[in-house]
Amino acid sequence: EIYVDQRPASLVQQAKRKKRPPRKFPFQHVFGVGSSQEQVFEDTKPIVHSVMDGFNVCVLAYGQTGSGKTYTMEGPECDPGINVRSLHEVFTVAYEREQAGTHTHLISMSMMEIYNETIRDLLSDGNTKLQAQMG
């Protein structure tokens, strides 16, 4: 049996053997099915701003097929997802800082998809498969 404990948000998996305690997997936030793209982005916005302070950031969508990962990350044109909103925010902040004369920026990014243990570069021209490397 698996359920979500909302205070704080965690996924709880009951042990199959009664001698073991339940396993808890904590989350900072769990969004319900009625959550908007704007609500999800607002929760992600501080991470996006940390990019502009020099930190490397990874935004990851994980879940089973049909759970809404692509919708959350890309969204439709009329209601963009995290990717489009994040890029808009990054370039808006970069522009404002450059106009103020306080910063210059060099921005680079990558966008990957991992599906069935195959890694694809979503920004490349071809259908290039990549290899995972440690190090």
Side-chain angles (χ1 to χ4, degrees), residues 25-64:
F25 302 92
F27 297 92
Q28 291 177 336
H29 191 88
V30 175
F31 292 97
V33 295
S35 299
S36 69
Q37 295 284 59
E38 182 65 29
Q39 288 171 315
V40 175
F41 176 69
E42 285 300 318
D43 198 58
T44 309
K45 204 176 201 178
I47 298 168
V48 174
H49 275 256
S50 69
V51 167
M52 301 310 294
D53 296 327
F55 293 94
N56 292 325
V57 170
C58 174
V59 178
L60 172 77
Y62 178 82
Q64 67 188 37

Side-chain angles (χ1 to χ4, degrees), residues 65-102:
T65 299
S67 63
K69 299 175 299 296
T70 301
Y71 181 82
T72 299
M73 297 304 282
E74 296 178 13
E77 192 172 325
C78 63
D79 191 19
I82 290 174
N83 290 347
V84 173
R85 292 173 192 260
S86 295
L87 288 172
H88 183 267
E89 187 70 20
V90 163
F91 287 111
T92 297
V93 171
Y95 177 79
E96 290 170 354
R97 288 181 178 181
E98 288 182 13
Q99 290 299 304
T102 59

Side-chain angles (χ1 to χ4, degrees), residues 109-123:
M109 66 172 281
S110 57
M111 190 178 298
M112 306 291 164
E113 174 186 70
I114 304 171
Y115 183 74
N116 287 339
E117 299 181 24
T118 300
I119 305 169
R120 288 188 328 130
D121 181 348
L122 298 177
L123 299 179

